[in-house]
Amino acid sequence: MRSNAGSHEAERFGWIHHSTIQEAACLTFVRGTDIDPVAEAFGAVSDYARELDFDEFCEESFAHHEQYSMIGIQVLGEWSLVVEDNGWQGTRDEVLRRVSAGTEAVSAFWNVDRLTRFSYAVDGELWTAFEAPLPEYRVGSRPDALEGVRAGMSWSDAERESGTVPLMLALAARVTGQTLTPSRFEGDFVTFPVAAWPDDLRDVPDALDRLDGRYPRELIEALRVADDAARRRAAVAVARRAVQSAECLDHPVISAVLASAADGGRMDRAAISEAVREWTWLLHLHRATSKVRNQVRAAEVLRQATHDDPLVAVFTTLSAAGHVRGLETGELAAVVARALADRLD
């Protein structure tokens, strides 16, 4: 009986297979009715907000999908629904962390390659997430957070009979109390283009081993025995050389972050991340010269230098600096060697 009930529950959302977003979308529910912080958490560019009906929104999303993502927001009861046509921002840790701060968020994602993801975040933390066909393989700080809610849903039967997308929507309805129907997509959505947040800085296991073969063995060994202060100097030196090469050393944010590093202070990661986000958006919005694109790459090198682990910061700055025009491996190796010897350029 529970198996049939679970299957029928998912079948109620079978209409999604005949909708405008049948092939690829991300639907994110955020508890709360104030759409401004929700939009900000997604990286929305508020100056370009427009009210569009759903079909118009999907047309706009398709027209600009190679340049930037778009979101449409509508209030549903005590929740805000964020729709992405062929988008995925609602799956990203960078977005879920922001949009769930002080509240909770649920997202369901699918695309034409049959990739799926169901995510649940609370108070700025991803509690659980999984690919729809494989709920037993969960990640997050509390991977079993929804297992009580999911109880009674016959996942394999419902998947076979209705597909994984209706299944995710059925689970989202259990969590939020909001049952999506085609009528929910009537009326206007507040829509925005998205200036995506940069990816979080990631941990890199065995960072030194990854430099082997690309940089001299003696430099790698010097990094291995160096203390964190010397490693941080090396990462900052690489970043400084990158922005010098790209001719953007005098930019206020870049100069302030580097000045803080030179004084031994904590570099403002939020400031440089916001700068990278804004500059990347402008690249999408306007036709940019190769010089401007190179400057954005150099700013990203500086962002990598703010990684909490100084050794990882060295690796990621060197990797990112490889994309800055005019910088070569030999020059970067020399910059690191001088910094380790406490001789800054």
Side-chain angles (χ1 to χ4, degrees):
M1 291 296 294
R2 300 182 79 184
S3 173
N4 290 335
S7 299
H8 292 322
E9 187 175 357
E11 287 171 2
R12 290 186 300 160
F13 299 92
W15 59 267
I16 198 74
H17 293 310
H18 310 287
S19 69
T20 305
I21 53 174
Q22 59 183 294
E23 292 186 345
C26 185
L27 305 181
T28 305
F29 300 83
V30 184
R31 185 182 290 277
T33 59
D34 186 352
I35 69 172
D36 288 341
V38 173
E40 181 179 353
F42 269 77
V45 184
S46 58
D47 290 346
Y48 291 84
R50 299 172 63 193
E51 289 193 4
L52 300 172
D53 67 33
F54 190 65
D55 287 339
E56 291 171 333
F57 162 69
C58 290
E59 290 173 2
E60 284 287 303
S61 294
F62 178 77
H64 298 289
H65 75 277
E66 292 185 354
Q67 296 173 287
Y68 50 78
S69 300
M70 290 189 66
I71 58 172
I73 307 178
Q74 193 178 73
V75 174
L76 299 179
E78 297 180 352
W79 295 74
S80 296
L81 171 64
V82 184
V83 180
E84 300 174 70
D85 179 24
N86 196 27
W88 62 90
Q89 293 298 318
T91 70
R92 301 180 64 217
D93 290 352
E94 295 81 1
V95 171
L96 289 169
R97 183 178 66 250
R98 290 177 169 89
V99 80
S100 70
T103 184
E104 58 184 315
V106 179
S107 74
F109 160 81
W110 63 95
N111 70 8
V112 294
D113 296 321
R114 303 189 68 170
L115 295 176
T116 60
R117 190 161 183 87
F118 188 93
S119 306
Y120 180 57
V122 179
D123 286 334
E125 185 179 0
L126 179 65
W127 278 18
T128 187
F130 53 86
E131 305 303 316
L134 299 168
E136 59 271 29
Y137 298 105
R138 301 180 293 277
V139 299
S141 61
R142 304 186 188 183
D144 297 336
L146 295 182
E147 289 308 282
V149 179
R150 204 167 64 85
M153 298 182 75
S154 181
W155 215 255
S156 58
D157 289 346
E159 178 187 345
R160 182 177 64 251
E161 297 174 18
S162 302
T164 55
V165 177
L167 196 56
M168 290 193 294
L169 298 183
L171 180 56
R174 283 192 173 194
V175 176
T176 66
Q178 299 297 322
T179 300
L180 280 182
T181 63
S183 63
R184 292 287 200 177
F185 293 87
E186 296 174 357
D188 287 343
F189 285 73
V190 183
T191 71
F192 306 85
V194 170
W197 295 104
D199 291 342
D200 286 342
L201 301 182
R202 309 295 187 186
D203 290 334
V204 181
D206 304 318
L208 287 178
D209 293 340
R210 296 170 185 246
L211 293 175
D212 195 15
R214 297 166 52 191
Y215 287 90
R217 283 287 181 87
E218 57 270 22
L219 182 65
I220 295 173
E221 290 307 311
L223 283 167
R224 194 182 306 278
V225 300
D227 60 20
D228 281 348
R231 291 167 173 173
R232 181 68 70 189
R233 282 199 310 272
V236 173
V238 171
R240 181 183 293 107
R241 184 68 195 97
V243 297
Q244 285 175 336
S245 178
E247 300 179 8
C248 55
L249 183 59
D250 59 348
H251 187 280
V253 173
I254 287 176
S255 60
V257 172
L258 284 173
S260 176
D263 293 337
R266 186 174 182 84
M267 293 182 286
D268 191 342
R269 183 186 304 165
I272 191 62
S273 294
E274 179 63 21
V276 169
R277 172 177 168 261
E278 290 179 357
W279 298 340
T280 303
W281 159 251
L282 293 176
L283 289 183
H284 294 319
L285 193 62
H286 306 293
R287 178 175 295 179
T289 64
S290 59
K291 178 179 179 179
V292 173
R293 293 184 185 278
N294 204 45
Q295 290 175 336
V296 175
R297 296 188 191 107
E300 174 60 19
V301 179
L302 180 56
R303 190 176 79 91
Q304 294 294 331
T306 68
H307 197 289
D308 291 336
D309 185 329
L311 184 56
V312 173
V314 175
F315 171 77
T316 55
T317 53
L318 287 171
S319 298
H323 299 289
V324 176
R325 189 178 66 250
L327 290 182
E328 298 181 355
T329 300
E331 179 183 3
L332 294 173
V335 168
V336 171
R338 287 195 294 272
L340 292 177
D342 200 15
R343 297 195 304 272
L344 300 182
D345 291 341

